[in-house]
Amino acid sequence: MSALFNIEPVSLFVMLFAVTLGKKCIYPIYIYIAMEFLIFGLNLWSVNYLYIWLILAIAAFLMRDVQHPAAWAVLSGGFGLLFGLFCTPVYLIVEGWRYALAWWINGFLADILHCCGNFFIAFFLFVPLRKHFTRLCRDFCKKS
Amino acid sequence: MKKWKIVIAVVALVLVAALMLGIYWLTRNGKHMLGSKDITVTVVYADGTDKVFTYHTDAQFLGTVLTESGLVEGDQGAYGLYIKKVDGHRAVYELDQAYWQVFVGEEAAMTGADQIELHDGDSFKLVYTHA
């Protein structure tokens, strides 16, 4: 899906892992992060990636009792909208507040697109996929 | 979760997105409000064609803009940033007998890109150069 700028299923899967695996969701999340580093190399964004998906995972875990698809869409959309903000601490430290602020504002359009993509993907897919993930996890846990 | 809470959350999301869009539009029209700099980088490829990239940045050095934007890939060497790829086009001396030469305006840079300070209105060139 790399051709679709800022449209990604990662947020959906992070939320699904968080609600079905609990604390063990860090394993698939950091395997994903390691794959990103291997494929795309290391850069300043790599530092962002070390903590940014944890934010969503923790929020999803705290919301695990919520069932309504729109609520999950808001969480995922809100995360996409604030993605740039969550990335700015790295640039704040490396380049200073003026650069960090300019960098964040320059990315507003990308964040809005990220929000829209995340919102609709989560709205339509989170609830049905959660049922399947929960069943898969239960079956896997039984066998192991 | 009660439905009215979800409705409020959706409305809040839309409002924040609208606010961000408004701020983005305002800063495009009042681009010096944040004290940012506009620079241009012209890439001259091996076949002689060129492409101009413009940046609106508050970075202090050229190297920061080039790497953060993804225009260049390179390594940190003893003399600073060694540019290996520009816009996906490789020029590594040992492999291609070519390199990417950096120009500040029309003059060849005397330092690496990560040591070239940026000022508003600056123009740079990255020229594919055969050794």
Side-chain angles (χ1 to χ4, degrees):
Chain A
M1 294 178 70
S2 57
L4 303 171
F5 179 66
N6 256 15
I7 306 294
E8 44 86 2
V10 181
S11 302
L12 173 71
F13 284 111
V14 167
M15 296 192 306
L16 285 167
F17 290 141
V19 300
T20 50
L21 299 176
K23 292 174 191 172
K24 289 182 184 172
C25 71
I26 60 168
Y27 297 118
I29 288 171
Y30 280 93
I31 286 172
Y32 160 71
I33 292 170
M35 298 287 289
E36 287 277 310
F37 291 172
L38 284 171
I39 293 169
F40 296 108
L42 295 175
N43 206 314
L44 267 184
W45 62 262
S46 309
V47 181
N48 297 325
Y49 260 49
L50 290 175
Y51 64 84
I52 204 165
W53 297 110
L54 271 189
I55 298 171
L56 179 61
I58 290 169
F61 183 74
L62 293 172
M63 272 180 60
R64 60 193 181 278
D65 295 329
V66 174
Q67 303 296 329
H68 203 288
W72 290 102
V74 168
L75 173 65
S76 192
F79 176 76
L81 198 62
L82 298 176
F83 196 89
L85 177 65
F86 294 145
C87 290
T88 51
V90 173
Y91 301 103
L92 185 69
I93 293 166
V94 173
E95 290 280 359
W97 74 267
R98 290 164 73 86
Y99 179 82
L101 183 61
W103 182 89
W104 180 37
I105 293 176
N106 278 339
F108 273 4
L109 279 185
D111 284 342
I112 290 167
L113 189 63
H114 199 177
C115 170
C116 294
N118 276 12
F119 184 93
F120 288 108
I121 287 174
F123 185 81
F124 289 110
L125 295 179
F126 182 82
V127 168
L129 283 180
R130 183 179 184 174
K131 289 177 190 167
H132 291 296
F133 266 60
T134 305
R135 196 188 70 243
L136 281 170
C137 287
R138 200 169 42 232
D139 291 347
F140 181 75
C141 290
K142 269 186 192 171
K143 284 178 185 171
S144 58
Chain B
M1 185 180 260
K2 292 198 170 118
K3 281 189 180 171
W4 64 266
K5 283 186 184 175
I6 296 171
V7 170
I8 289 173
V10 172
V11 170
L13 194 68
V14 171
L15 286 176
V16 170
L19 180 67
M20 286 169 71
L21 192 61
I23 292 170
Y24 180 83
W25 180 82
L26 276 174
T27 53
R28 292 303 99 184
N29 287 319
K31 57 192 171 187
H32 294 293
M33 283 166 61
L34 297 174
S36 294
K37 299 167 250 197
D38 287 314
I39 64 166
T40 57
V41 178
T42 303
V43 177
V44 181
Y45 302 93
D47 60 1
T49 57
D50 62 64
K51 195 171 176 184
V52 179
F53 297 84
T54 57
Y55 297 99
H56 182 64
T57 180
D58 217 28
Q60 191 177 359
F61 298 104
L62 177 63
T64 307
V65 176
L66 295 179
T67 48
E68 282 298 308
S69 65
L71 181 62
V72 309
E73 293 171 38
D75 298 329
Q76 283 296 328
Y79 303 104
L81 177 66
Y82 171 44
I83 297 174
K84 288 183 168 178
K85 273 188 184 178
V86 176
D87 195 20
H89 296 257
R90 190 187 72 190
V92 175
Y93 184 78
E94 294 81 8
L95 300 170
D96 308 301
Q97 282 73 56
Y99 60 96
W100 286 104
Q101 189 172 15
V102 181
F103 285 80
V104 180
E106 296 298 322
E107 290 185 14
M110 303 305 290
T111 58
D114 54 343
Q115 289 151 21
I116 298 173
E117 281 204 33
L118 295 178
H119 307 93
D120 187 28
D122 279 350
S123 63
F124 304 94
K125 280 187 190 173
L126 299 174
V127 182
Y128 188 99
T129 307
H130 291 282

